[in-house]
Structure formats: structure tokens, C-alpha cells
Amino acid sequence: MALTIVNSIASWILKKRIHQIDLFRKYPNEVQNDVFLSLIKANEKTLLGKQYDYASIKSYETFAERVPVYTYEAFEPFIERARKGENNIFWSEPIRWFAKSSGTTNAKSKFIPVSNEALENCHYKAAKDLLCLYLNNNENSQLFTGKGLRLGGSKQLYEDNNTVFGDLSAILIDNMPFWAEFSSTPSNKTSLMAEWETKMNAIIKEVQHENVTSFMGVPSWMLVLFNKIIQETGKGSLLELWPNAEVYFHGGVSFEPYRDQYQKLLPSGDFKYYEIYNASEGFFAIQDQNGCNELLLMLDYGIFYEFIPMDTFGTSTQRIISLRDVELGKNYAMLITTNAGLVRYLIGDTVRFTSLLPYRIKITGRTKHHINVFGEELMVENTDRALAKACALFQVEIAEYTVAPIFMVGKEKGAHEWMIEFTKAPQDLAKFGEVLDRCIQEVNSDYEAKRYNNMTLNPLVLHQARKGLFYDWLKESDKLGGQHKVPRLSNERKLIEELFVLNKVVKEI
């Protein structure tokens, strides 16, 4: 009875926010303009504010003409100064927290600033909005009668020059209010354990006796945890262990290649899946409808958005547009100016708009994680969809995959080379490769054109990875943990060549 009352009160409090969300749904560009002006005003006296004379900027057009686009590498000198204790470099208030990220292909560490404003008005606000939207769509939810099982990163926090750095998830856990830990499992102590494999065992021991009603984490890593829990407990499904589980909040990688496996672990037509789009740099979008994988772009988190059409990205004709000028169905690279001080920052993700009122998006890939060696413009969204379709046709399951180009040599045509680790492999690998190739052509007309009569591209080359190959690669690269991901696509061969070395038993067509 007491838990039911707590659930009702918590739901009522959270759902009050829906009216503010409706405001930016109806007036998105006005809200974004307010965010833009407030960020400019707040940082007039910073080093960057003085450099670009923010005090005289009264419009987006002036800002766009005056301030350049920044990659992490270009912005890094400012971040380093802030990490060493200098204030007023790119944000008007002191920044103590830095989210450390090694990225997915580069061993060099990145340190993303996380201001107090970003913690409160972006990351934590988004966590509450996620629950608000879910509860608003599911009136009979009993989410707060149990706990949420979270799976974050595996790094501890470290202090240097009076600033603190570590995984974003560790920063969020370390700063979250006491009531958030009360409603979460595992405990903060377990969540912040540094050694990943030891941590997984501790999580399993701790969570299996809790009343879990929700899950949150990256699909690939959460699947590893779930399979270990099933093995440890001997249960037929997760719902035997947690009959009150009702929703999984997921993000980080596409859910499509894993959907069938999750539906076997959580065999209920009523179980919900909600996608989120967040990163160390900020929290950007949340699924706001049941059964729909389009994400509502959240416009009042202190983040100002700009977009680069991918058909001009990196060229002499590159264009940058504001939110009001985006079009449906096009791929865009995203720029953000944030309440942690990042300015016109190229985050590296690509998105496609599915709705303009309200603004909803789908994540299509990474600016660095696509293949365009032969003019095929292959995006992660394409390969995820094609692979999911081929897996469904053959009733197979995957753990991980990556794709690289085979470059043309002399008169030899190019191709795409796939490495797939199956959890349930096809009986006929060659046939699976043929069907996968056709599925890619169905979702990408440029690839189809290059494959026509093998004119430019030969059929894809498929390798079956040994069990645990990608896990071993992540471990060797010191990237074990809930926030690290295997790059799906690459314009170079470095990753796949490293995998060949690790892959002692290779089946090849």
C-alpha cells in the first residue's frame, strides 16, 4: 500500500512537467532562440565571449558569421586550461567536472566539460523528463513500486588540479540526490566499481533479489548482463525473476539488431521499450510515444542546435543551418552550443528528421562511422536495418559487427568486408551473406547502384567471428564498460585488421 502511494505521488510530480514540454513542441524555434540568446548573454565576459564579441551579437546570423565550427581537437586547448583551474574560459561559472571519454576509434582521451548547469538543467532534467513522458503515456504504470536497474560505465572518479574526471555515468551517480539511489539498483558503491568483470558479478549478486520494474543501459552491454543473470539464476526469462518489470530505457547503439533477443528475454507484449539519445556533451532527445522509435528533440535543456547537411559535409560548399531550416528525410551532422561552454561543437553524430512539428529525429550514425569510399554513402542506420532483416529471415542472432572497405587495387573492384559475431549463427553462412547484401541494396540506393552488375563493388565479404572476439578487442583497448561501443562502420581498415589478429578461428566466404 505504501509503495502504491509513493508511486502515485512520484508520477503526479513528474507529469507536471508535460505542460512545459508541450510549450517547446508548439513553439520550438522561439524556445531555441531564447536558449541561444541566454547562452550568448551568460558568456559575454568569458575568454571566448570577448574573442568573438558576444556583447554585440543580437542574432543567430551574426553568431554564425563570426564564430567558427569547433571539433574536439580545436576546442581542446580551452578545455585543458579549464582543467588546470582557469575560470571564465568558455563558461561563466567554474567547471569542476569533466567526463572522460576515449571515443570509439581513438585511444586519446577526451575530457568533456560538465558544468553545474549542465548537470541540473540538462542531464538530471532529462532523466526526469524521460520518466515524465513514459508515465504520461502509461497511466497505469507501477514504476515506483520497484527499482530501476541501471548499467553505466566502469571507471572511478579521479581528481587533478582541483577538477574531477571520469565516466559521465560516474559523475552523474556521484552527484545524484539521495532519493535517486533509493529507487535504483545496484548501489552507488557497486555501480562505481572500476574493474568491469568483477563489477558484473557484483551487480548480478545484488540485483537478483530486488523488485526491478525498469532497466536502463546500452543494449549490447545490457544483453551481456542479462544473459549472465539468466545463466546464474537458471530462470527461463527475466520476467520470471522480475515479474513487475515494465520498461527498458536504452541508447548508445541501435536497438534493432538486438530486438529479437530482448523479446525472448522479456516475453511480454505489454513490455515497453523507450529510446534515448544522450552523450557526455549533453542529453538531446527522448522517445515520447509508445511503440515508436522516433525521438523528440528536447529544446529547453540549455543546448542550441545547428545542422550540417551531410551531402555538403567536409566539402568547400559545406552549409550550416539552424533548426528552422531542416528538412524531412535528410541526413545532418549536428552542432551544439551548450550550457557547459561548448561552442558550435561538432559532436560527431548524424541524425535524420522524421517530423518538423514537433521536431523528431532518428539517429543515423556518426560522421566518422560511415563508408563512402566508393560513393555509396552507407550509414549505420542502413546496416542496422539490413542486418536486422537478414537475421529475422534466417532466425539468427548477433552479438556485434563491424564493416570496412576493401580498396580497389589495379583492376580489382572494391567491396565491403563484414566481421559478425553471432550468438546464434546461420547454417549457411554464404547464403546469409548473399541475402544481407541484397538487404543493404534495398535500404541504400547508392549501394545498390554501385553493386549493379558488380559495376563498382563486388559482393560483400563476410567473416564469422569467434565467440568473444569483440569483447576481447574492447578489453585489449581498455574499453570494457557500459559506455564504450564497437565502431560499426569505418572508411579505413585499422579496426578490422586488429580483429583479424585476435580472431584465431575464422570462417570465411
Side-chain angles (χ1 to χ4, degrees):
M1 182 65 178
L3 287 175
T4 302
I5 294 173
V6 169
N7 184 76
S8 299
I9 294 173
S11 298
W12 176 77
I13 292 171
L14 286 164
K15 286 192 287 186
K16 291 174 68 177
R17 161 75 172 150
I18 201 70
H19 302 296
Q20 294 171 307
I21 293 174
D22 283 339
L23 183 67
F24 74 69
R25 280 170 166 161
K26 293 176 182 177
Y27 305 104
N29 296 303
E30 291 83 352
V31 169
Q32 271 286 277
N33 190 58
D34 287 346
V35 169
F36 165 72
L37 292 175
S38 67
L39 289 172
I40 293 298
K41 181 67 176 175
N43 290 302
E44 285 180 358
K45 296 180 180 179
T46 63
L47 178 72
L48 281 183
K50 292 175 181 177
Q51 180 176 329
Y52 299 115
D53 192 14
Y54 279 12
S56 69
I57 294 178
K58 306 301 178 185
S59 69
Y60 166 69
E61 288 72 23
T62 304
F63 174 74
E65 289 173 3
R66 191 177 297 176
V67 182
V69 170
Y70 280 98
T71 60
Y72 177 81
E73 288 72 21
F75 206 77
E76 182 185 29
F78 302 119
I79 293 174
E80 280 304 297
R81 290 176 66 174
R83 283 190 65 224
K84 291 176 180 176
E86 285 192 63
N87 294 326
N88 246 21
I89 302 297
F90 48 81
W91 186 245
S92 54
E93 299 295 330
I95 294 181
R96 185 164 183 252
W97 305 94
F98 292 84
K100 183 182 178 183
S101 169
S102 63
T104 48
T105 59
N106 194 334
K108 182 179 179 180
S109 294
K110 296 180 179 181
F111 295 89
I112 306 300
V114 182
S115 66
N116 289 330
E117 289 82 356
L119 276 175
E120 293 298 329
N121 297 322
C122 182
H123 293 288
Y124 289 143
K125 186 176 181 179
K128 289 183 281 190
D129 283 356
L130 172 62
L131 298 174
C132 167
L133 289 164
Y134 174 75
L135 293 167
N136 190 64
N137 293 335
N138 300 279
E139 293 288 339
N140 297 321
S141 170
Q142 296 297 306
L143 206 61
F144 294 103
T145 61
K147 293 188 175 184
L149 195 166
R150 63 192 178 194
L151 182 62
S154 60
K155 299 294 184 185
Q156 292 177 316
L157 295 174
Y158 303 91
E159 189 163 348
D160 184 30
N161 294 312
N162 203 34
T163 60
V164 179
F165 64 90
D167 280 0
L168 175 67
S169 58
I171 292 172
L172 296 178
I173 290 170
D174 197 59
N175 285 279
M176 67 171 48
F178 75 93
W179 55 263
E181 182 176 8
F182 177 76
S183 62
S184 302
T185 189
S187 64
N188 286 2
K189 181 180 178 181
T190 300
S191 295
L192 293 173
M193 290 176 67
E195 206 285 310
W196 177 254
E197 290 169 330
T198 304
K199 172 180 171 177
M200 289 285 276
N201 292 329
I203 290 174
I204 293 170
K205 184 177 180 180
E206 189 172 327
V207 302
Q208 62 180 290
H209 303 296
E210 297 281 7
N211 175 27
V212 173
T213 54
S214 66
F215 310 104
M216 178 177 285
V218 176
S220 51
W221 286 111
M222 190 65 89
L223 193 60
V224 173
L225 175 64
F226 283 171
N227 284 325
K228 284 181 176 291
I229 288 172
I230 290 292
Q231 183 179 4
E232 182 77 20
T233 62
K235 300 292 185 182
S237 77
L238 293 173
L239 293 180
E240 288 184 25
L241 186 63
W242 297 308
N244 298 317
E246 59 179 81
V247 61
Y248 172 32
F249 302 108
H250 60 85
V253 298
S254 171
F255 189 60
E256 288 310 308
Y258 306 103
R259 186 177 296 276
D260 288 345
Q261 296 179 69
Y262 273 90
Q263 289 174 345
K264 290 177 182 177
L265 289 166
L266 297 157
S268 169
D270 295 327
F271 191 85
K272 304 291 193 302
Y273 297 91
Y274 264 58
E275 186 173 354
I276 60 176
Y277 174 24
N278 68 324
S280 297
E281 293 85 352
F283 207 121
F284 311 121
I286 301 171
Q287 180 180 328
D288 66 328
Q289 304 169 95
N290 284 341
C292 177
N293 59 0
E294 298 174 9
L295 307 181
L296 179 70
L297 194 62
M298 306 303 285
L299 302 178
D300 64 349
Y301 287 175
I303 298 174
F304 179 71
Y305 295 98
E306 298 174 86
F307 301 90
I308 305 174
M310 283 301 289
D311 57 3
T312 70
F313 180 81
T315 70
S316 59
T317 59
Q318 177 172 291
R319 295 186 302 120
I320 302 173
I321 59 176
S322 64
L323 183 64
R324 68 172 66 247
D325 294 321
V326 299
E327 300 176 39
L328 292 175
K330 288 190 174 182
N331 278 314
Y332 295 98
M334 197 161 75
L335 295 177
I336 56 173
T337 299
T338 77
N339 55 4
L342 297 176
V343 178
R344 304 198 87 191
Y345 180 87
L346 183 66
I347 191 172
D349 292 329
T350 59
V351 300
R352 174 169 52 84
F353 282 85
T354 58
S355 168
L356 300 183
L357 192 66
Y359 285 104
R360 292 195 181 100
I361 61 173
K362 286 188 176 181
I363 306 162
T364 56
R366 299 276 295 169
T367 54
K368 291 183 178 179
H369 298 169
H370 67 285
I371 300 180
N372 193 31
V373 174
F374 312 102
E376 65 274 49
E377 285 289 355
L378 191 70
M379 308 294 290
V380 173
E381 182 188 36
N382 302 148
T383 54
D384 280 342
R385 285 175 57 196
L387 187 56
K389 184 173 181 180
C391 285
L393 290 171
F394 281 77
Q395 296 185 315
V396 303
E397 299 170 354
I398 72 150
E400 286 288 0
Y401 77 92
T402 195
V403 190
I406 298 175
F407 297 105
M408 295 178 178
V409 179
K411 295 183 179 180
E412 188 64 32
K413 295 170 184 174
H416 288 178
E417 191 160 24
W418 286 64
M419 178 74 80
I420 304 178
E421 181 181 335
F422 295 94
T423 52
K424 182 181 177 184
Q427 292 184 344
D428 190 335
L429 190 66
K431 187 66 176 175
F432 180 84
E434 292 173 11
V435 171
L436 176 59
D437 197 288
R438 288 201 298 270
C439 289
I440 300 168
Q441 294 179 54
E442 290 173 6
V443 300
N444 185 304
S445 58
D446 290 324
Y447 182 80
E448 181 183 34
K450 302 301 183 292
R451 284 283 296 110
Y452 181 71
N453 287 334
N454 297 345
M455 190 176 299
T456 304
L457 288 175
N458 282 327
L460 64 80
V461 176
L462 175 62
H463 305 277
Q464 180 177 342
R466 63 172 173 78
K467 186 176 180 180
L469 174 65
F470 287 92
Y471 186 93
D472 291 344
W473 178 80
L474 286 164
K475 188 173 183 178
E476 282 207 356
S477 305
D478 193 27
K479 294 181 179 181
L480 285 182
Q483 293 185 320
H484 294 297
K485 301 168 284 278
V486 172
R488 300 296 201 202
L489 307 180
S490 176
N491 268 329
E492 59 180 25
R493 293 186 54 82
K494 180 175 182 293
L495 169 57
I496 204 163
E497 294 294 347
E498 290 175 355
L499 290 170
F500 284 146
V501 173
L502 288 174
N503 196 36
K504 294 182 169 60
V505 180
V506 179
K507 295 181 180 179
E508 184 176 331
I509 63 168

